[in-house]
């Protein structure tokens, strides 16, 4: 579980759940150069949530963590799971940074039922979640990267959402009608 680059630096740490504080196993931890965005390696946490990168070059590094059911997180983010840049880790030649700690928040889920005009479950309807974000001082409605499709019971599930208010849209492919509900 070590980086495949040449250098003499070492970074070790532990990933834990933001809701429980318990170590998380099977988290994919990626280390990149903050300047060039070059991938320096990937590790997977063990049963105690530990990861390790060895033989690292000196430089400014970004540590990212991802696991199903949790929000992707970057070390040093002010708001965990926000997708925004975190704080770079500055590693000197031969430096050892040990016991780095990162908590990952669980992702939210929106689920529901879509029915047709007579109340029967609607099968295969794409469902999308939108949320307001601030860009350049303006409030803007933006689609999340998460989407769902209704099953044979008309039910959908959209996982991995950051906290906030959402507008959920369901639009059958063969109709131009769009229904929205505020959550």
């Amino acid at each position: 579980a070590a980086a495949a680059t040449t250098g003499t630096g070492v970074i070790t740490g532990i990933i834990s759940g933001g809701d429980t504080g318990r170590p998380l196993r099977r988290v994919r931890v990626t280390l990149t150069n903050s300047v060039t965005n070059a991938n320096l390696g990937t590790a997977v946490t063990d049963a105690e949530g530990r990861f390790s990168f060895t033989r690292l070059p000196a430089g400014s590094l970004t540590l990212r963590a991802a696991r199903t059911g949790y929000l992707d997180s970057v070390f040093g983010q002010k708001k965990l799971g926000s997708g925004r840049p975190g704080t770079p880790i500055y590693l000197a030649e031969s430096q050892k940074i040990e016991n780095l700690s990162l908590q990952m928040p669980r992702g939210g889920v929106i689920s529901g039922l879509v029915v047709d005009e007579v109340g029967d479950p609607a099968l295969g309807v794409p469902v999308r979640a939108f949320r307001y974000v601030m860009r350049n001082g303006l409030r803007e409605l933006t689609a999340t990267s998460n989407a769902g499709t209704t099953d044979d019971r008309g039910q959908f599930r959209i996982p991995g959402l950051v906290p906030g208010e959402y507008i959920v849209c369901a639009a059958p492919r063969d109709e131009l009608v769009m229904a929205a509900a505020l959550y």
Side-chain angles (χ1 to χ4, degrees):
T5 59
T6 58
T8 55
V10 174
I11 294 179
T12 65
I14 187 166
I15 308 289
S16 58
D19 54 344
T20 65
R22 286 187 255 171
L24 293 177
R25 60 188 172 133
R26 295 190 305 253
V27 175
R28 183 181 171 98
V29 183
T30 306
L31 198 61
T32 57
N33 181 301
S34 301
V35 177
T36 65
N37 212 25
N39 188 336
L40 301 175
T42 300
V44 176
T45 59
D46 63 14
E48 285 83 39
R50 295 187 187 135
F51 65 89
S52 176
F53 292 95
T54 60
R55 298 178 21 209
L56 294 170
S60 174
L61 311 175
T62 299
L63 183 101
R64 298 180 193 284
R67 179 179 167 192
T68 302
Y70 291 81
L71 298 177
D72 290 358
S73 298
V74 179
F75 180 78
Q77 278 179 321
K78 290 184 180 179
K79 191 173 184 182
L80 289 174
S82 68
R84 295 180 185 233
T87 304
I89 301 166
Y90 296 101
L91 185 69
E93 189 65 37
S94 301
Q95 182 180 8
K96 288 184 179 182
I97 298 176
E98 300 176 317
N99 300 318
L100 238 164
S101 178
L102 178 62
Q103 288 193 337
M104 295 182 69
R106 282 196 184 271
V109 174
I110 294 175
S111 61
L113 174 69
V114 178
V115 295
D116 63 16
E117 63 279 356
V118 295
D120 291 333
L123 169 66
V125 175
V127 182
R128 194 88 202 203
F130 295 83
R131 65 177 260 189
Y132 284 102
V133 294
M134 293 300 287
R135 289 215 176 109
N136 300 322
L138 299 173
R139 191 172 174 213
E140 197 174 282
L141 190 61
T142 306
T144 66
S145 60
N146 309 23
T149 303
T150 58
D151 62 15
D152 61 326
R153 300 166 295 168
Q155 296 180 346
F156 70 90
R157 186 172 192 275
I158 304 173
L161 301 171
V162 298
E165 289 184 11
Y166 288 86
I167 294 176
V168 177
C169 296
R173 295 169 213 239
D174 57 344
E175 295 180 25
L176 296 175
V177 179
M178 182 167 77
L182 178 61
Y183 281 87

